[in-house]
Amino acid sequence: MKIGIETESFHLLFQYGKMNALDFIKKAAEIGFEGVELNIIPGWGIDKALGQVGDDTKENLDAIRDEIKKYGLYAEIDTNGTSEADMKRALRVANHIGADVIRTYIRFNKFDANMYKQTLQDLKNIVPELKKYRIKIALENHEYETAEEVVKIVKEVNSCWVGVHYDFGNSMMVWEDPVHAAKIMAPYAYCTHFKDHIIVEDKDAPYGYVVCGVPVGEGNIDLDTCFKIMVEKSPLTRINMEMCFPYCTPFKREPGTGGVTTVGEGAFKVENAPYDRNIIKPLEYYYPHKAVSEEFLEKMMEDQIKGAEKGFKALKALRDKYCIK
């Protein structure tokens, strides 16, 4: 089992021009990761055509491909959407840099179950292209969907080229315990986002609480059990960490959607916010520049690097515990 890291783990450094894709690849290798998962979604504070990957040019993609080879890393791509244009763009980039798995998710502005039908058809339509490229698509449980809903789509596509992407924390946004989601998704999992979460009180958010990302080991997700399920029940040969810290997000659906009805226990235990609320509010973590001083922003970026290093050690310890490298 190899272990990798996704660019979002350093989202602040990307947003504020302290890191680019080549820097990220080097940093991942220095920490000890064996692979990189590169996010090509524009926006999120980054105006480059390929998001955190940068310019959509042959020269840039050649340089990224060569840097990945230089360090002997595996590569995966993160995108969103399932339209023909979305998928063909992601396949082109993945093929160029040598990635063999693409994570995608449904682009919800607000939850609409009618979008599942179009997603199913989109994925069926792209299977011939996946076969040509020999690249797999993994549909993520991305904050709006329960594990069963994602698996249902993949089962109906009925192709070895389309599986699921198990995010260790996203199920919480639909009131679903991560262990429960892991059991459902593991047999179909082609890639992952390994992370940790807590619940934080926020009176401005729906239901009065938010899901908050923290460095691995500082949260309440039963990562040991989730990791073990992935090892024993999935075909995965890699686990990728996406450390969503600092990051908070509201619940996306009603209590009980995924089986959990209230906060307070297990993964849904309520904790103190990672940062002083007088300095920055939880829902300001992702785009903090309007809320904090430059000095505090530097601290938050340093915290991301420290968190990624801590996450690597925790992920490696689980890998060493449950499987052969």
Side-chain angles (χ1 to χ4, degrees):
M1 182 76 77
K2 292 187 175 182
I3 54 180
I5 183 171
E6 208 267 14
T7 47
E8 272 292 292
S9 299
F10 297 128
H11 81 271
L12 290 179
L13 285 91
F14 277 97
Q15 285 175 359
Y16 298 106
K18 305 293 185 180
M19 177 178 282
N20 62 28
L22 297 178
D23 299 327
F24 169 77
I25 293 164
K26 180 180 180 181
K27 187 65 176 179
E30 287 176 350
I31 293 173
F33 288 101
E34 297 154 316
V36 289
E37 193 174 23
L38 306 176
N39 196 311
I40 66 168
I41 303 170
W44 305 100
I46 301 171
D47 60 4
K48 297 290 187 178
L50 294 178
Q52 291 162 341
V53 168
D55 294 326
D56 190 1
T57 64
K58 181 180 184 301
E59 292 75 17
N60 182 48
L61 294 177
D62 282 349
I64 289 171
R65 177 198 62 205
D66 294 346
E67 196 75 355
I68 290 168
K69 288 183 178 179
K70 173 183 173 181
Y71 291 104
L73 307 177
Y74 68 79
E76 298 181 7
I77 288 292
D78 268 2
T79 190
N80 62 9
T82 57
S83 71
E84 181 179 4
D86 293 327
M87 294 291 90
K88 287 190 173 181
R89 173 171 169 268
L91 282 166
R92 172 177 57 80
V93 174
N95 184 63
H96 196 131
I97 70 168
D100 57 3
V101 178
I102 297 168
R103 184 274 334 232
T104 195
Y105 60 85
I106 304 169
R107 283 196 294 254
F108 288 109
N109 291 318
K110 62 179 181 178
F111 179 70
D112 180 1
N114 293 321
M115 293 181 70
Y116 289 152
K117 183 178 180 180
Q118 184 61 54
T119 300
L120 172 61
Q121 191 58 55
D122 287 345
L123 292 174
K124 285 183 175 180
N125 291 344
I126 202 64
V127 167
E129 292 295 312
L130 301 179
K131 290 178 181 178
K132 291 178 183 178
Y133 279 100
R134 317 309 288 176
I135 293 174
K136 294 179 178 179
I137 289 287
L139 185 66
E140 184 182 27
N141 57 325
H142 193 262
E143 301 188 0
Y144 287 88
E145 313 91 336
T146 67
E148 288 184 351
E149 289 167 346
V150 175
V151 167
K152 183 176 185 292
I153 293 171
V154 168
K155 288 173 72 172
E156 290 184 11
V157 174
N158 192 29
S159 169
C160 65
W161 297 101
V162 178
V164 306
H165 173 108
Y166 170 64
D167 187 293
F168 280 66
N170 280 353
S171 62
M172 292 174 65
M173 290 70 151
V174 292
W175 301 88
E176 183 175 42
D177 187 88
V179 173
H180 176 74
K183 291 176 180 178
I184 293 170
M185 298 181 76
Y188 310 93
Y190 287 172
C191 57
T192 67
H193 280 163
F194 179 83
K195 63 179 59 163
D196 210 350
H197 282 165
I198 58 174
I199 300 296
V200 170
E201 185 176 5
D202 192 320
K203 295 179 181 178
D204 295 328
Y207 314 112
Y209 297 91
V210 293
V211 181
C212 184
V214 292
V216 173
E218 297 182 17
N220 293 319
I221 296 177
D222 186 352
L223 295 175
D224 190 290
T225 298
C226 292
F227 188 94
K228 184 179 180 182
I229 291 169
M230 290 297 117
V231 170
E232 295 182 349
K233 304 296 184 181
S234 85
L236 290 169
T237 59
R238 308 164 181 164
I239 298 285
N240 299 313
M241 182 180 79
E242 181 198 46
M243 185 191 67
C244 284
F245 172 73
Y247 172 79
C248 286
T249 191
F251 288 98
K252 299 301 196 295
R253 291 169 71 178
E254 297 76 18
T257 297
V260 176
T261 57
T262 60
V263 301
E265 297 182 354
F268 291 83
K269 183 180 178 183
V270 180
E271 304 283 4
N272 293 325
Y275 293 118
D276 186 336
R277 293 173 186 268
N278 293 316
I279 298 176
I280 185 168
K281 297 177 181 179
L283 289 176
E284 295 173 330
Y285 288 172
Y286 198 80
Y287 298 115
H289 66 281
K290 294 181 180 180
V292 300
S293 66
E294 186 173 339
E295 181 180 4
F296 196 82
L297 180 58
E298 289 288 339
K299 169 182 166 46
M300 295 175 78
M301 288 188 276
E302 290 173 5
D303 288 346
Q304 281 202 316
I305 294 174
K306 292 176 183 177
E309 292 170 345
K310 181 176 182 178
F312 169 75
K313 292 177 182 178
L315 185 50
K316 183 177 182 298
L318 284 172
R319 191 266 303 277
D320 292 346
K321 179 179 180 179
Y322 287 114
C323 49
I324 298 172
K325 181 177 178 180

